Amino acid sequence: MKLVAKTVGKVVIEVTTNEIENKGFEYFWDKIRRTYKVEDYDVHSIGASKEEEKIIFIELVSKKLHE
């Protein structure tokens, strides 16, 4: 898992399908939500890379910008 981008309004995290298969999606999801709290961020999208479908991107958006 790695942080791809972080701006004031958005966070993009990359996880590979191999990592998910080895540790489970819940492991990564819990780790993400400990860092980027549900009170502060909404899930904008979760999807595979167009170039490499073994890479999953999780995009979170800040709730503070939408208030």
Side-chain angles (χ1 to χ4, degrees), residues 11-65:
V11 174
V12 180
I13 298 161
E14 173 187 299
V15 182
T16 66
T17 55
N18 289 341
E19 290 175 311
I20 293 171
E21 288 171 5
N22 289 336
K23 293 192 176 181
F25 182 78
E26 292 299 319
Y27 169 83
F28 293 102
W29 188 244
D30 290 345
K31 196 171 179 178
I32 290 166
R33 281 312 197 177
R34 277 193 301 273
T35 305
Y36 305 102
K37 306 280 187 222
V38 71
E39 297 85 13
D40 300 327
Y41 291 90
D42 282 327
V43 176
H44 182 263
S45 66
I46 299 175
S49 167
K50 292 177 183 171
E51 295 81 30
E52 176 58 60
E53 61 186 42
K54 291 189 175 229
I55 297 175
I56 307 299
F57 290 107
I58 301 170
E59 185 175 338
L60 307 174
V61 292
S62 174
K63 289 182 178 181
K64 293 176 185 174
L65 292 180

